[in-house]
Amino acid sequence: MSGINMTRRGLIGAGGGAVAATLAAGMVPAAARIQAGTGARVAGQPMPDGVKLPATPPRPKRQDSVGFAIVGLGGYALNQMMPRFVDAERAHVAAIVSGNPDKLAKVGDAYGVPGDARYSYDRFDEIASDDRIDAIYIVLPTGLHADWAVRAFGAGKHVLCEKPMALSSADCERMIAAGRRANRKLMIAYRSHFEPFNVEAMKLMSQKAVGDIRLLRTEQSYRMGPTTPRENWRVSRALAGGGPLEDYGIYGLQSALYLTGEMPESISATTFRPTGDPRFAEIFAHVGSQWRFPSGAVAHLATSYDSAGTNFAHVRGTRGALIMDPATSYSGQKMRLEGREPRELNPGDPGVQFARQLDHFADAVRDNKPIRTPGEMGLRDTRLIEAIYAAAERGQTVRLAPDGRMRG
Ligand code: NAD
């Protein structure tokens, strides 16, 4: 596993065992819950860098368009998702929720959100009586997803939740149960399921375009700049869990599942945390895992916050290979089939993934259509993340049931 220090010494010396033990036990750090309840650290968060607000407020295209309240006006909401609502047929921004009054004013004006549909976190529960809002889109730090999803269901709304679903399988189960009690939809925003390259790759693999899959390799990494857990939630254990695996490596984990079409039967893993680096005071720098599938296929997954950027998925079968690099970006995907008839594939514009995801959710809300990426999928993936940390912590291969639960 290139770039990954496989020794246990660094991890134990840095106290990483405690991190892994907490994560493996499925415990949600208390700090995440406290912040979720109060939104205390949120009030002063300024507008993230590079935000371009629309020059004219977009309007819903259809009468039955689903109205979303966006919770958390950070980088992904403002730079990626909110600008894509204009491409969706059946989804519009009906309300915004933020702890920063200045941001509420600027973003609200740009998106044409009425003054009384701009909510602070403290006023969130009033959303229950706001009929303009059908669904809540949770774009908050991961450690806050579960509590806000439960609050959203409590307000009688449907929930689209950013990936990863939550930091423990117990929290995922809590979210699913709250959605069932409220009789509302829950979807995890796994955008690759709506992105043409990945959709085509799923189809090709199910048609055995590379023969029987034998080996799969995924890597997602980038080098995080200097920061600390106080400054950046992505390096805070309470809000980000173990770090790169939940945030970025989840794309490789997902690819391994949807490209093979199988669940692993066993996992072994390694984590590494250097000492004395404030970026990794609470989270891991790298996580590597090896999976074995019932078919005999073997997958190697690596993810890192401390190595030069990459994002690829390689599948090697008995008759050829599928190379996706970059595999799951916002744009610029590349994909080629190797084998008897090698060819570059270009199945469509990756930029459509955002609007397609929104419309898919809107169709589920309006027409009761099944959700391609439901809460159960997020739960399954969170169980696998827990298994990876447990395997690394125990220094042993972990065996899994078909639903991703650890056997013993
Ligand atoms: P960000 O830091 O840019 O924004 C987070 C937002 O949450 C900010 O507006 C912040 O004010 C708010 N917030 C509320 N409570 C907070 C607290 N206690 N601490 C810190 N911030 C708090 O993060 P982001 O990149 O927008 O990520 C948000 C979510 O979106 C995460 O779940 C992340 O995994 C997900 N995401 C998904 C993709 C994707 O491609 N699907 C890409 C990036 C992020």
Side-chain angles (χ1 to χ4, degrees):
M1 235 162 273
S2 62
I4 293 190
N5 184 331
M6 304 285 274
T7 66
R8 280 177 62 79
R9 188 181 48 80
L11 170 63
I12 293 164
V19 177
T22 304
L23 296 164
M27 292 190 282
V28 177
R33 294 190 190 289
I34 293 161
Q35 285 165 356
T38 63
R41 275 177 53 188
V42 185
Q45 299 267 354
M47 195 84 100
D49 292 337
V51 174
K52 285 199 192 82
L53 295 171
T56 47
R59 292 181 173 281
K61 292 190 186 134
R62 284 170 56 158
Q63 198 109 61
D64 67 353
S65 179
V66 169
F68 284 74
I70 316 293
V71 184
L73 303 180
Y76 189 61
L78 291 174
N79 288 321
Q80 297 302 331
M81 281 312 299
M82 289 180 68
R84 306 296 185 144
F85 273 80
V86 70
D87 303 327
E89 287 300 317
R90 217 180 187 185
H92 66 278
V93 176
I96 48 178
V97 183
S98 167
N100 182 318
D102 180 50
K103 218 160 38 169
L104 280 176
K106 283 190 183 130
V107 176
D109 287 351
Y111 280 91
V113 175
D116 62 349
R118 302 175 190 179
Y119 290 88
S120 65
Y121 290 101
D122 294 338
R123 286 186 48 230
F124 179 83
D125 296 329
E126 294 171 27
I127 275 175
S129 55
D130 190 334
D131 292 339
R132 297 167 294 188
I133 302 168
D134 302 292
I136 308 295
Y137 185 8
I138 299 175
V139 205
L140 290 165
T142 307
L144 307 181
H145 289 181
D147 282 350
W148 283 93
V150 171
R151 269 177 93 168
F153 287 131
K157 307 298 179 183
H158 304 278
V159 172
L160 175 62
C161 179
E162 259 313 320
K163 51 53 60 180
M165 181 172 176
L167 294 180
S168 72
S169 52
D171 267 355
C172 295
E173 281 163 359
R174 198 156 62 86
M175 293 163 78
I176 292 168
R180 286 200 185 128
R181 267 197 312 276
N183 194 23
R184 292 290 178 267
K185 306 286 183 194
L186 170 59
M187 171 164 153
I188 310 307
Y190 282 136
R191 58 182 170 72
S192 297
H193 289 258
F194 307 94
E195 187 279 305
F197 281 71
N198 280 275
V199 171
E200 179 70 9
M202 292 174 206
K203 194 175 101 197
L204 287 168
M205 293 305 95
S206 71
Q207 294 169 342
K208 294 199 176 288
V210 299
D212 294 325
I213 295 173
R214 295 290 195 241
L215 297 174
L216 187 139
R217 194 175 189 91
T218 69
E219 265 184 46
Q220 284 74 33
S221 67
Y222 71 90
R223 190 124 204 273
M224 178 162 292
T227 191
T228 66
R230 278 192 71 80
E231 290 166 2
N232 182 349
W233 70 265
R234 280 195 161 78
V235 299
S236 143
R237 180 167 61 91
L239 294 171
L245 174 60
E246 287 87 337
D247 186 36
Y248 201 11
I250 185 99
Y251 289 97
L253 179 149
Q254 272 259 310
S255 310
L257 298 171
Y258 60 65
L259 294 175
T260 59
E262 289 190 90
M263 278 291 281
E265 60 183 14
S266 65
I267 290 182
S268 57
T270 304
T271 53
F272 177 67
R273 207 156 69 95
T275 46
D277 185 332
R279 294 174 302 166
F280 305 115
E282 297 186 3
I283 63 158
F284 299 115
H286 330 293
V287 181
S289 59
Q290 268 191 84
W291 302 10
R292 197 185 66 210
F293 292 94
S295 65
V298 169
H300 294 254
L301 280 62
T303 183
S304 169
Y305 269 168
D306 199 28
S307 52
T310 193
N311 171 9
F312 70 74
H314 294 182
V315 190
R316 197 155 287 279
T318 47
R319 289 201 306 271
L322 182 76
I323 311 294
M324 305 175 73
D325 188 358
T328 58
S329 312
Y330 299 151
S331 62
Q333 266 77 328
K334 288 204 164 50
M335 184 159 80
R336 75 174 188 276
L337 258 181
E338 295 178 345
R340 216 169 274 167
E341 292 170 31
R343 59 185 197 274
E344 291 289 327
L345 300 159
N346 186 357
D349 175 9
V352 301
Q353 60 188 313
F354 307 97
R356 285 193 182 161
Q357 174 177 269
L358 292 170
D359 279 332
H360 179 80
F361 184 64
D363 289 346
V365 166
R366 290 285 182 247
D367 305 334
N368 203 23
K369 287 197 176 154
I371 292 180
R372 213 178 288 167
T373 56
E376 287 74 10
M377 181 180 276
L379 168 62
R380 174 201 72 183
D381 296 350
T382 306
R383 284 182 180 147
L384 294 181
I385 290 172
E386 288 174 345
I388 289 170
Y389 289 132
E393 173 63 12
R394 295 176 196 169
Q396 279 177 2
T397 299
V398 165
R399 297 193 180 288
L400 301 171
D403 64 1
R405 279 180 223 258
M406 285 180 267
R407 292 188 200 268

